[in-house]
Amino acid sequence: MELHQSDLKFTWVDYTVVSAMLLLSTLVGVYYTFFNRQNTFEDYMLGGKTMGVFPVSMSLVASFISGITLLGLPTEIYLYGTQYSVINFSVLGVLILCITFYLPVFYKLQLNSVFEYLELRFDHRVRILGISMYSFCLIIYLPAVLYVPSLAFSQVTGVPVYVVTPIISTICIFYTTFGGLKAVLWTDTLQNVFTLAAMIFVLMTGCMRLGGIREVWNINKEGHRLELFNMDPDPFARNTFWTTFFGYLFMHLTNLAVNPAAIQRYLSVPTLRQARWTVFYTGVGFYIIMNLTTFLGLVLYARYHGCDPVAAGVIKTHSQLVLMYVTEIGKSYPGLAGLFLSGVLSAALSSVSSWLNSVGGSMYKDFMEVFYPNVHHSEAKQSRIIKAIILILGITSVLLVFVVERLGQILQLSVTIMGVEYGPMISLFTLGIFFPRVNTKGAIAGAIVSLITSCWIIFSAQYYIMIGKLQFPGKITSLDQCSDSNDKHFKSNVSLLFNYTGVGSPVVADNSVLQIYQLSYNYYIVVGTLIGIVVGLGVSMCTKPPDSAKLNPDLFSTYVHMFLPRKHQQLQLHRGEYMLTPTS
């Protein structure tokens, strides 16, 4: 088996394909900027509330399937096996919870910002706390999303990351800033086509080259990669059935049930029924992408099981593995590598554009309505302010890209970053929707304690990972089938191989690393959520309860109405009748 650096280079056909995708994305932004302007807040942020189920579903899938997924998940499977596939069960649970409990509340209220719910349910302080946490998460997460495709593009072209990142970011910021939600939705749809086409073609050609699906499966079985029902209850094991199931249940529940980017899209379709179908088709899209990328990981191992490219010195990190494989087989199919990288770039651009678009409008509405309630801007001025916010956030994300380079395996990194904010965020909305007894003091205390605890555990763990005192070696890799495996260069790289053949994957920690910092990264969001809910309930029980006479039933799930005062059980309030009354 021969591996060479030349396998990582683009041809002119690949450059043409990538350029075509970027050009089409730019043209969508040009169209909605100059020929179909979104002049009102409703048009700019909600697409006039006339969008169809298909583009909205495609956009939601694209929003939460970033380049991290396309490059990080196959690498995860290559190194640690298929335990991640338990996410299939998690997504089913998320769809049921979102459609049944969360979506009807937000759709009925028809709020301009999801964080406005927190003011209606609690008061303006909780609203500001919510948008502040979300903005903080955005600022630390988007650099990771941008870094992955920039690194991939740099890998196959030789252009430095610090040159690539501003170029692709400028295109994304352009059509997001000026085109509004319609530009984001249709660009996401277009980019999804690139992503799916690339993934399917790579898998088909890969399987044919390796002897078929059965051969790929058998090689992975011999390499101890096939693992799904590891029922070890240990919360400090990296990946088990339980850590994966609950971790991704809470993560995707936050993504689909309370994330401003998701709620914004649900409200862009005309009816609640269509919004529910949007959630369902988004789940179907998740299933398709997740399982395609999982199978790509199996293909990667089948190809490199006898000659690990990192240990062979062909690539520096396993994060480069997917692009190496695609460019390798792309030699026989001109343009294939370019098509796949277009998919990676598309996934990243769609995630960044969706997050920027949603947070721009949310920050404007939330901060203006709380701090300057008597100031009313014209539609034109609102648009300019929102565009300025998006532009500033976009530039900030670009500048922070280089911070993520030393923070470990990319899929684990992305889940870790989400854990900082997702736990406190889902706990806030869950307390509001399901627990009428919770007051403002409880909500604030729960969110703050959850955020502080999450930051303490997560940043401490990341510190030990950066200095090498906390490591996660993968399953067995080899150099036995490399064509030059007997020369001195290869023998010196034996230390880069893994030799674990058991169930799960080991966690190697220095004695100075506290046990709590070894907690599975999948549980960060779970712990943050449970702490927020428990503290919120505890503080509320010890302080003055909300005035039940002022609790609006539409702020709660319909399954909670039976626990409200009887006079509220048949009460139906319209959006204009709500009063922003504190409940502390």
Side-chain angles (χ1 to χ4, degrees):
M1 180 185 293
E2 295 186 7
L3 301 178
H4 302 288
Q5 285 287 347
S6 59
D7 290 335
L8 300 176
K9 297 305 177 184
F10 258 23
T11 66
W12 68 269
V13 180
D14 298 314
Y15 282 110
T16 302
V17 174
V18 173
S19 299
M21 185 279 294
L22 294 175
L23 178 61
L24 288 173
S25 298
T26 304
L27 290 177
V28 172
V30 169
Y31 173 74
Y32 282 105
T33 300
F34 299 105
F35 302 102
N36 191 349
R37 287 194 171 191
Q38 313 302 297
N39 295 317
T40 67
F41 180 87
E42 185 172 291
D43 285 340
Y44 186 83
M45 294 302 301
L46 299 174
K49 298 186 178 181
T50 59
M51 301 305 297
V53 171
F54 174 73
V56 174
S57 300
M58 290 284 279
S59 178
L60 275 167
V61 173
S63 299
F64 301 116
I65 302 294
S66 66
I68 291 175
T69 304
L70 298 183
L71 297 181
L73 178 51
T75 303
E76 168 76 18
I77 303 302
Y78 175 88
L79 290 174
Y80 301 104
T82 59
Q83 186 62 62
Y84 181 90
S85 299
V86 173
I87 191 175
N88 286 313
F89 302 111
S90 300
V91 171
L92 179 61
V94 169
L95 295 183
I96 295 172
L97 292 172
C98 181
I99 291 174
T100 305
F101 299 108
Y102 292 88
L103 176 60
V105 174
F106 295 120
Y107 196 89
K108 190 170 188 179
L109 294 174
Q110 289 288 312
L111 305 175
N112 289 321
S113 165
V114 67
F115 298 105
E116 188 178 350
Y117 170 85
L118 297 177
E119 183 170 6
L120 291 168
R121 175 62 180 86
F122 301 110
D123 70 7
H124 68 277
R125 293 171 295 173
V126 185
R127 180 178 183 178
I128 293 302
L129 178 62
I131 184 61
S132 298
M133 289 192 303
Y134 181 69
S135 301
F136 172 67
C137 179
L138 178 85
I139 290 171
I140 63 175
Y141 178 65
L142 288 189
V145 176
L146 287 170
Y147 171 72
V148 172
S150 299
L151 178 64
F153 195 86
S154 175
Q155 175 184 332
V156 296
T157 63
V159 181
V161 171
Y162 63 82
V163 175
V164 176
T165 304
I167 294 175
I168 64 174
S169 300
T170 298
I171 294 173
C172 177
I173 293 170
F174 167 73
Y175 71 72
T176 304
T177 302
F178 297 102
L181 181 65
K182 286 185 178 180
V184 171
L185 290 181
W186 286 112
T187 307
D188 287 351
T189 302
L190 168 69
Q191 292 166 349
N192 252 348
V193 172
F194 278 87
T195 303
L196 285 171
M199 184 66 68
I200 291 171
F201 195 77
V202 166
L203 288 174
M204 290 176 60
T205 55
C207 280
M208 288 190 293
R209 288 164 62 94
L210 291 166
I213 294 177
R214 178 173 295 180
E215 182 64 18
V216 170
W217 188 265
N218 289 335
I219 292 173
N220 277 272
K221 184 177 181 180
E222 293 174 3
H224 307 277
R225 258 58 183 183
L226 302 183
E227 184 176 302
L228 187 62
F229 295 104
N230 173 11
M231 309 306 286
D232 184 356
D234 182 6
F236 302 101
R238 184 179 181 275
N239 274 356
T240 66
F241 181 93
W242 303 114
T243 64
T244 305
F245 176 81
F246 287 111
Y248 284 93
L249 175 71
F250 279 71
M251 185 181 78
H252 286 301
L253 183 62
T254 309
N255 276 335
L256 287 181
V258 302
N259 192 299
I263 303 301
Q264 176 192 23
R265 281 153 180 72
Y266 302 149
L267 299 184
S268 70
V269 299
T271 66
L272 175 59
R273 183 173 182 272
Q274 288 175 302
R276 283 176 166 145
W277 278 113
T278 297
V279 177
F280 174 77
Y281 288 128
T282 299
V284 172
F286 274 176
Y287 271 113
I288 293 173
I289 297 293
M290 291 297 182
N291 286 287
L292 287 176
T293 49
T294 296
F295 189 69
L296 178 57
L298 298 179
V299 170
L300 289 179
Y301 183 73
R303 169 66 180 92
Y304 300 119
H305 69 283
C307 187
D308 180 73
V310 173
V314 180
I315 55 179
K316 294 181 179 179
T317 70
H318 286 100
S319 298
Q320 298 174 293
L321 197 59
V322 176
L323 257 295
M324 177 181 179
Y325 178 70
V326 173
T327 50
E328 178 188 326
I329 64 173
K331 289 181 176 180
S332 303
Y333 303 92
L336 175 60
L339 180 63
F340 188 85
L341 185 58
S342 295
V344 174
L345 290 171
S346 297
L349 291 176
S350 59
S351 298
V352 173
S353 63
S354 298
W355 282 59
L356 288 178
N357 180 261
S358 64
V359 81
S362 294
M363 289 183 72
Y364 170 79
K365 281 293 182 182
D366 292 318
F367 284 103
M368 285 300 300
E369 290 182 2
V370 171
F371 295 110
Y372 305 100
N374 298 320
V375 176
H376 301 286
H377 293 139
S378 64
E379 293 282 1
K381 190 167 185 178
Q382 286 185 41
S383 178
R384 288 196 297 271
I385 295 174
I386 294 173
K387 290 173 182 177
I389 293 172
I390 292 174
L391 186 61
I392 292 170
L393 288 173
I395 293 173
T396 303
S397 297
V398 173
L399 296 176
L400 292 174
V401 161
F402 311 105
V403 177
V404 305
E405 291 186 88
R406 298 181 59 197
L407 295 181
Q409 206 269 333
I410 197 65
L411 183 69
Q412 178 171 337
L413 171 63
S414 68
V415 177
T416 297
I417 292 174
M418 290 179 181
V420 174
E421 186 267 343
Y422 272 25
M425 185 171 168
I426 190 66
S427 68
L428 262 185
F429 286 98
T430 300
L431 285 171
I433 291 174
F434 291 99
F435 300 98
R437 180 63 176 75
V438 172
N439 58 26
T440 298
K441 292 184 177 66
I444 292 176
I448 291 177
V449 172
S450 174
L451 182 63
I452 292 174
T453 305
S454 297
C455 286
W456 164 54
I457 296 174
I458 292 171
F459 290 140
S460 297
Q462 284 302 304
Y463 168 74
Y464 286 113
I465 291 173
M466 288 178 64
I467 64 176
K469 290 189 175 183
L470 182 58
Q471 299 178 357
F472 307 93
K475 292 180 179 292
I476 186 169
T477 53
S478 173
L479 288 172
D480 293 345
Q481 296 180 21
C482 295
S483 58
D484 301 318
S485 59
N486 292 320
D487 70 19
K488 294 181 180 180
H489 170 72
F490 277 72
K491 289 181 178 179
S492 67
N493 289 342
V494 171
S495 60
L496 298 176
L497 295 174
F498 303 125
N499 56 18
Y500 184 72
T501 58
V503 177
S505 55
V507 176
V508 179
D510 184 83
N511 292 332
S512 61
V513 181
L514 295 179
Q515 186 73 40
I516 188 64
Y517 303 147
Q518 301 173 41
L519 181 72
S520 171
Y521 70 99
N522 291 315
Y523 273 157
Y524 291 153
I525 299 175
V526 179
V527 169
T529 302
L530 295 180
I531 288 175
I533 291 175
V534 170
V535 172
L537 288 171
V539 171
S540 296
M541 294 297 292
C542 297
T543 54
K544 183 180 179 181
D547 185 351
S548 60
K550 296 180 180 179
L551 293 177
N552 297 317
D554 288 350
L555 297 172
F556 304 93
S557 168
T558 54
Y559 296 91
V560 178
H561 288 184
M562 66 182 70
F563 302 105
L564 296 175
R566 182 173 297 276
K567 66 177 181 178
H568 285 315
Q569 292 181 15
Q570 301 300 321
L571 183 61
Q572 296 296 320
L573 298 177
H574 297 291
R575 170 68 184 92
E577 296 176 313
Y578 286 116
M579 300 297 294
L580 300 180
T581 306
T583 57
S584 57

